[in-house]
């Protein structure tokens, strides 16, 4: 909920309105500051979404159902609805266990699940999905449970990656069929 420290004998609290006991909280993602029980101010935090997110969502949305499962609070609901659409499934305040359970429920319903995540809190859900992609700002700091790593600066190329992967899978299948037929002819 927050941080507490004592500096020069003064108690400093930084965190949620409840933790800090802030008198007049404001809407949004906010970290409040109090010193010795007196409200001193706040930091309003705004998420900065990845460049090209709306275009990626539009491209993927034509082929599949997109759901958002996030650990963030619902203060970003309007911004996410503007990107994903008003009818999108958006679940907030999802801890790593909740994300994992959500993926398992989708799989239980027979859905093929692609999980895209960018942090350790996504590792369990990525591991249990049919395919997991880790978006990484540092490609050396990847999730070991993922099937693919996509550098964050290339995020807008995600639809191309998925199209390419599908084509390569078909190519491998065709290669196996040709090899199988070739060997049948050769053995006969």
């Amino acid at each position: 909920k927050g941080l507490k420290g004592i500096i020069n004998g003064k108690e400093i609290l930084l965190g949620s309105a409840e933790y800090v006991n802030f008198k007049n909280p404001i809407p949004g993602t906010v970290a409040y500051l109090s010193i010795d029980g007196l409200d001193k101010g706040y930091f309003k935090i705004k998420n900065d979404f990845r460049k090209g997110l709306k275009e990626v969502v539009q491209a993927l949305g034509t082929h599949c159902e997109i759901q958002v499962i996030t650990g963030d609070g619902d203060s970003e609901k309007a911004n996410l609805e503007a990107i994903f659409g008003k009818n999108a499934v958006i679940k907030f305040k999802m801890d790593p266990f909740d994300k994992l359970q959500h993926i398992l429920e989708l799989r239980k319903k027979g859905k093929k699940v692609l999980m895209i995540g960018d942090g350790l809190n996504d590792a369990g859900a990525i591991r249990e999905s049919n395919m997991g992609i880790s978006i990484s700002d540092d490609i050396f700091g990847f999730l070991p449970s993922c099937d693919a790593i996509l550098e964050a600066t290339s995020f807008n190329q995600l639809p191309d990656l998925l199209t390419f992967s599908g084509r390569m899978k078909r190519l491998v299948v065709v290669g196996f069929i040709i090899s199988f037929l070739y060997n049948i002819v050769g053995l006969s």
Side-chain angles (χ1 to χ4, degrees), residues 3-179:
L3 303 170
K4 175 181 178 179
I6 300 194
I7 300 174
N8 295 333
K10 295 180 182 258
E11 181 184 64
I12 299 174
L13 297 175
L14 179 66
S16 69
E18 298 84 28
Y19 180 76
V20 174
N21 197 21
F22 206 83
K23 313 297 183 278
N24 296 310
I26 62 171
T29 304
V30 181
Y32 296 93
L33 173 70
S34 76
I35 300 175
D36 283 338
L38 300 172
D39 295 348
K40 290 295 183 179
Y42 57 86
F43 300 93
K44 188 160 185 169
I45 302 163
K46 180 181 177 284
N47 279 332
D48 189 20
F49 297 110
R50 295 198 185 277
K51 182 180 177 191
L53 177 61
K54 189 166 188 152
E55 293 78 15
V56 167
V57 169
Q58 288 172 346
L60 295 178
T62 60
H63 306 316
C64 57
E65 173 188 348
I66 297 176
Q67 297 188 12
V68 179
I69 53 176
T70 177
D72 294 338
D74 62 0
S75 62
E76 290 290 332
K77 184 176 182 178
N79 292 331
L80 289 172
E81 283 178 346
I83 295 169
F84 292 92
K86 293 256 185 226
N87 296 326
V89 174
I90 304 175
K91 296 192 175 211
F92 297 98
K93 297 183 181 177
M94 300 281 282
D95 64 28
F97 181 75
D98 295 332
K99 291 179 181 186
L100 171 62
Q101 289 305 113
H102 185 75
I103 298 302
L104 291 173
E105 287 173 24
L106 291 172
R107 297 229 20 222
K108 217 183 279 185
K109 292 177 183 174
K111 296 191 178 207
K112 290 187 178 180
V113 179
L114 165 65
M115 172 71 183
I116 302 168
D118 63 358
L120 284 175
N121 60 340
D122 299 319
I126 285 175
R127 184 184 65 245
E128 292 300 324
S129 63
N130 296 93
M131 182 176 179
I133 298 176
S134 174
I135 306 295
S136 180
D137 290 309
D138 173 12
I139 61 170
F140 299 108
F142 64 93
L143 294 178
S145 60
C146 66
D147 297 303
I149 304 166
L150 185 62
E151 192 173 6
T153 57
S154 301
F155 175 74
N156 59 340
Q157 296 176 358
L158 180 62
D160 297 333
L161 171 69
L162 296 175
T163 300
F164 178 75
S165 297
R167 287 181 183 156
M168 290 302 103
K169 181 180 176 185
R170 286 191 293 276
L171 184 63
V172 168
V173 169
V174 168
F176 275 120
I177 291 170
I178 291 171
S179 176

